[in-house]
Amino acid sequence: MRAKKSTITRRSFIKTGIVALGAATLPVGRLAAQAKAKYMRYNVMSEGGKRALASYARGVEAMLKLPAGSPQNWFRNAFIHLMDCPHGNWWFYVWHRGYLGFFEETIRNLSHDDEFAIPYWDWTTLPQIPDSMFDGVLNPQSQFFEPYTRNLAVFTGHFQQALVNYWGTLTTAQLAQLNTRGYTNPDKMWNDVTGYDPASKNGISGNMAYAITCGSRYLTRDNPHLDQCTTYDVSPEVISCGLSPTLFNDPTPALSFTSSKTSSHESPPGSFSVLEGFPHNKVHNYIGGVGPIDPGPYGNMTNFLSPVDPIFFLHHSNMDRLWDVWTNKQKQRGLPYLPTGADLVQLSEEPFLFYVNGSGQYVGTSKAGDYLRTERFNYDYEPGGFGEKIQTTGLLQKMPPVKGTVRGSQATVTLSTSAIQQHLQSGTPPSLVAEVTLPQPNVNSPGREFDVLVGAPADAPGDCQSPSYAGTMAFFGPTMNMLAGHNVTFVVPLPKKAEAFHNLTAATVAVNIRVVPHARGQALPSIKALTVRMR
């Protein structure tokens, strides 16, 4: 049974949006008291989180055993992400909130735990995969996954025809969205499963969304830790910078909490916000093996079948928690936590068409506006996660933006010494951030991670322990020829180390910023533009 078609008109929606916006701009003390949430998403390391994992395991096992044609089958649920997930645009948070919410209902029903909610993995305070996520069915390398993923032929035999059958039931609106994504038929979608590139007529191992059982996750119980570069990308400095903007979306990437506003949630990325471009993308990539096992094939977390790995949902629960942290800070300061006017309408009316609810029914037409608040799924987060106690002042242009002079993989930008000193002496959120624009990787330039170095020697490689290291910009998802020539901007917090800046006795300083491939042996990227701003 499909969801009933909404009877809300555009005019009534705008009126409702204006009322909602008015509430959003009031100080939190003036908001009506909200009822206590029914469900609690616990920190995975707490007692509540451990209880939730037991139910999670029962639910995952039940989903694995469902027929391939069932909408609630574990792998079919992952294909929702491959077919519809947005990344690098302002629907990233709200789409994943809907996806997690319905998945949570599914686990609740199949585990027979009426109180289940997805735990969150706070990688800032625990930069390693929780040990319990290597137990049994919560580990995609376990025997539970072997009957379905032991080789590509087996995986294909289980799921390809079921997906072709599903394709034949899709509505005109669903097919139109898939066409925008480049999936004009099910064979083209299956190319992303196998990594086949029709343009070059080659198989690109790093583009395989499928992962063999033994290679489905790079990290193991004996090697559970995020490496030093990934740990930097989830560090307090980076997370606090990502929480600093005071606008849900702004055309200037450094001033925006979310990634770029695009024409639809199926559009390629225009810019990555700090939280999406650094912790979100880098954690995905490292768990999948980007860096250690280049050029692939990688584990599931690296490409769009990432929900095959059960750690996906704990990772995204933490991303959703950070959105909730930012929203609450906005409310407490009397600032809007959603866009205004026509932007609110555009954000809210975007159709999400592929969800499956907890009863195994297709949701049908829903819209982003249905999922902008946690109340839709009636949950809250257990307090204590990183970010809640950080006091941020927001990104404010206290100096005019400074454009860098770009030559190949490096740029030089002239900054006042006073601005640099303010940056070095400021609190946790970095004061200086750079907007770095790079071409989207494609099959001819397959590197998907790039280290940013500030004030490093001319030929120095990327080094996460160097005072010059400003983090790793990570692209998430397969490299695609269709995106050749497409440029993407990352917001990069500059390091708060005096060693990264030279000649600070002068009034102004020429600061060199270089971008190098994270994987050794790959070609240097070409910076398209670089601008430094001060918060």
Side-chain angles (χ1 to χ4, degrees), residues 53-392:
L53 284 185
S55 298
Y56 188 26
R58 291 196 302 274
V60 174
E61 184 174 1
M63 292 178 75
L64 281 170
K65 291 179 178 178
L66 290 172
S70 168
Q72 289 182 310
N73 173 278
W74 180 257
F75 297 95
R76 283 290 304 277
N77 182 74
F79 270 98
I80 297 171
H81 188 264
L82 183 144
M83 297 171 75
D84 197 42
C85 63
H87 294 93
N89 62 56
W90 67 342
W91 286 289
F92 164 79
Y93 282 107
V94 66
W95 187 93
H96 284 85
R97 175 169 285 174
Y99 184 54
L100 263 66
F102 288 121
F103 171 80
E104 190 171 63
E105 290 180 355
T106 297
I107 295 293
R108 195 174 294 144
N109 291 341
L110 295 181
S111 69
H112 306 293
D113 178 358
D114 293 339
E115 297 182 354
F116 173 78
I118 303 168
Y120 68 88
W121 169 32
D122 182 2
W123 12 251
T124 303
T125 58
L126 183 72
Q128 67 178 76
I129 291 185
D131 188 66
S132 51
M133 293 303 294
F134 295 105
D135 292 341
V137 74
L138 299 181
N139 183 355
Q141 294 180 309
S142 71
Q143 61 180 352
F144 292 91
F145 285 80
E146 181 76 19
Y148 314 102
T149 60
R150 64 177 175 266
N151 60 53
L152 181 57
V154 167
F155 187 78
T156 300
H158 272 291
F159 300 109
Q160 187 176 28
Q161 187 58 49
L163 286 163
V164 170
N165 295 342
Y166 172 52
W167 195 280
T169 70
L170 297 179
T171 66
T172 301
Q174 287 175 312
L175 292 171
Q177 286 196 354
L178 289 168
N179 287 350
T180 301
R181 201 174 182 88
Y183 297 156
T184 54
N185 58 60
D187 288 341
K188 289 190 175 180
M189 183 185 71
W190 200 257
N191 287 341
D192 274 2
V193 175
T194 64
Y196 178 71
D197 175 51
S200 64
K201 293 183 170 54
N202 291 318
I204 311 299
S205 61
N207 283 355
M208 290 181 68
Y210 159 80
I212 194 170
T213 312
C214 61
S216 55
R217 185 192 283 172
Y218 167 66
L219 293 175
T220 64
R221 193 186 299 274
D222 294 332
N223 175 37
H225 297 276
L226 304 179
D227 70 343
Q228 289 177 323
C229 293
T230 311
T231 299
Y232 185 98
D233 274 15
V234 303
S235 66
E237 292 79 10
V238 174
I239 303 306
S240 61
C241 187
L243 293 172
S244 291
T246 58
L247 293 171
F248 182 85
N249 185 265
D250 190 275
T252 300
L255 304 180
S256 183
F257 174 72
T258 56
S259 299
S260 52
K261 181 172 71 173
T262 56
S263 59
S264 83
H265 76 281
E266 302 289 2
S267 301
S271 67
F272 284 112
S273 68
V274 171
L275 293 182
E276 187 180 357
F278 279 75
H280 170 264
N281 290 2
K282 189 71 174 76
V283 169
H284 262 285
N285 283 357
Y286 189 67
I287 292 175
V290 172
I293 56 175
D294 291 325
Y298 302 117
N300 286 118
M301 277 287 279
T302 299
N303 290 318
F304 291 158
L305 279 181
S306 47
V308 168
D309 188 334
I311 195 67
F312 171 95
F313 293 96
L314 278 66
H315 174 45
H316 270 276
S317 185
N318 197 45
M319 290 299 299
D320 183 80
R321 182 188 69 84
L322 289 173
W323 179 20
D324 190 53
V325 166
W326 181 83
T327 297
N328 289 332
K329 288 183 181 295
Q330 293 289 102
K331 292 179 180 179
Q332 290 165 7
R333 296 166 61 192
L335 296 173
Y337 56 92
L338 291 173
T340 61
D343 280 352
L344 179 59
V345 174
Q346 181 186 350
L347 173 72
S348 300
E349 291 192 332
E350 178 72 4
F352 294 162
L353 307 177
F354 291 89
Y355 293 145
V356 173
N357 68 21
S359 300
Q361 299 168 321
Y362 294 109
V363 173
T365 300
S366 66
K367 294 184 179 181
D370 299 335
Y371 312 107
L372 287 171
R373 294 170 179 82
T374 58
E375 287 82 0
R376 169 60 183 81
F377 296 104
N378 204 3
Y379 67 91
D380 201 355
Y381 285 97
E382 180 181 28
F386 183 81
E388 295 169 9
K389 297 181 180 179
I390 291 177
Q391 296 300 316
T392 60

Side-chain angles (χ1 to χ4, degrees), residues 426-440:
S426 65
T428 302
S431 296
L432 292 174
V433 295
E435 296 169 345
V436 181
T437 303
L438 297 177
Q440 174 88 26

